[in-house]
DNA sequence: CGATGATCCCGAACAAAATTCGGCAGCACT
DNA sequence: AGTGCTGCCGAATTTTGTTCGGGATCATCG
């Protein structure tokens, strides 16, 4: 993980579909070298994958919400079961398993408020392990496109 | 946005760096057709970009937390200023602007607990517009890799 | 002090992919 | 049946991915 790897990673985070040659040129190395570096980053697990980012409204998902959930009993089976089943729902973007007063944070999208309401009533109200949940609408979601390595603490 | 576009989108979300030919073959059309479809998806803004997903621990980011923030006064300038300045910090993965009891939810990463603590003291405690904030550690973060269009509600 | 090996990078050669573009088929409308 | 439109295809051309042999650099060790 030298600064060459970091530079390559930066470019792949910016645009994962640009050609290997373009990246090689930008970071100032030969295409073959760049290809090998990318292969190693992938193999070492530094790069976990490449994903297209889609526009949510274009997919008919016009509202977003964050749902804080408390479950009981808070044991391994209930936690794993909740994570798995909830993360598979099409309306769910991601599931955070947390420490603190709430056990999960679920990022949800829906077509509109009615759909969101129906979704919550169908998928959360019924579940017996769910003690309670609170829903907060999301106005905007900004994401940091580039993640550089942080220096290790000794 | 027919089911052909949907299929292409699915493959690009799964692996954005696979070749156009591979996608074309999987969805059963000619490479040239597939290329044109992808170009249009990009142009229409359905595809917003392609990003490499990196492994946070490999970047020295071993802890994650969610910070709920309340700011005052809650006006346009303060909100926009908070969003912009906070989303630029290297420890910040994303900023959710919310309705409800908290105004923002900030997803942060740090090398370890000490770094997280120092970050919060440096970047949040000092800011005058911040009324208060609560920090919750994240044990796990699951993300849904594939987002299909939801049917429109009439 | 030079030999040895390891590591990393380069560039040429070949295979594969992207890209362009002319044309054909299906379809709606007349 | 004619006309225009749209979307798709496939061949030709350019660009890219991929492999591999060899050279430069550097540290280790005899």
């Amino acid at each position: 993980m030298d600064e060459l790897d970091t530079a390559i990673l930066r470019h792949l985070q910016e645009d994962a579909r640009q050609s290997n040659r373009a990246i090689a040129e930008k970071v100032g190395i030969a295409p073959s070298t760049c290809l090998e570096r990318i292969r190693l980053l992938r193999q070492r697990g530094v790069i976990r994958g490449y994903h297209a980012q889609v526009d949510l409204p274009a997919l008919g998902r016009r509202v977003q919400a964050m749902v804080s959930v408390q479950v009981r009993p808070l044991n391994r089976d209930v936690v794993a079961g909740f994570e798995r089943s909830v993360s598979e729902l099409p309306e769910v973007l991601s599931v955070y398993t947390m420490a603190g007063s709430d056990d999960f944070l679920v990022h949800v999208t829906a077509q509109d408020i009615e759909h969101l309401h129906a979704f919550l009533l169908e998928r959360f109200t019924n579940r017996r392990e769910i003690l309670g949940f609170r829903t907060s609408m999301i106005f905007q979601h900004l994401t940091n496109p580039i993640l550089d390595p942080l220096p290790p603490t000794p």
Side-chain angles (χ1 to χ4, degrees), chain A:
Chain A
M1 272 267 71
D2 54 9
E3 66 288 330
L4 206 55
D5 284 326
T6 302
I8 292 171
L9 217 50
R10 225 191 322 257
H11 289 294
L12 282 173
Q13 286 181 85
E14 185 110 12
D15 177 8
R17 234 178 133 69
Q18 64 185 310
S19 71
N20 174 57
R21 294 182 105 88
I23 300 171
E25 190 168 350
K26 285 173 192 165
V27 306
I29 57 176
S32 52
T33 306
C34 190
L35 196 71
E36 179 65 10
R37 289 273 191 154
I38 294 174
R39 199 203 315 267
L40 289 175
L41 285 170
R42 190 81 217 256
Q43 191 178 312
R44 276 187 280 150
V46 177
I47 295 174
R48 296 180 59 115
Y50 308 100
H51 305 287
Q53 187 195 357
V54 300
D55 183 65
L56 293 174
L59 295 187
R61 299 162 178 259
R62 290 176 297 279
V63 308
Q64 294 183 52
M66 198 62 89
V67 187
S68 309
V69 185
Q70 283 190 321
V71 300
R72 291 295 179 276
L74 196 53
N75 62 37
R76 186 171 253 110
D77 285 349
V78 167
V79 169
F82 183 90
E83 285 169 344
R84 213 183 55 74
S85 57
V86 169
S87 67
E88 278 171 1
L89 301 171
E91 289 88 353
V92 171
L93 298 184
S94 66
V95 178
Y96 298 87
T97 306
M98 317 270 297
S101 53
D102 295 315
D103 303 316
F104 300 100
L105 220 48
V106 185
H107 186 184
V108 172
T109 49
Q111 292 144 356
D112 47 41
I113 301 278
E114 288 75 28
H115 178 201
L116 175 64
H117 192 192
F119 167 79
L120 292 171
L121 289 175
E122 269 179 48
R123 303 297 187 175
F124 283 80
T125 305
N126 290 336
R127 296 179 75 105
R128 270 201 266 115
E129 79 271 36
I130 294 184
L131 188 69
F133 62 93
R134 282 176 301 112
T135 305
S136 304
M137 300 300 303
I138 298 172
F139 292 134
Q140 194 176 17
H141 181 194
L142 293 175
T143 296
N144 211 335
I146 297 157
L147 299 177
D148 278 336
L150 298 174
T153 44

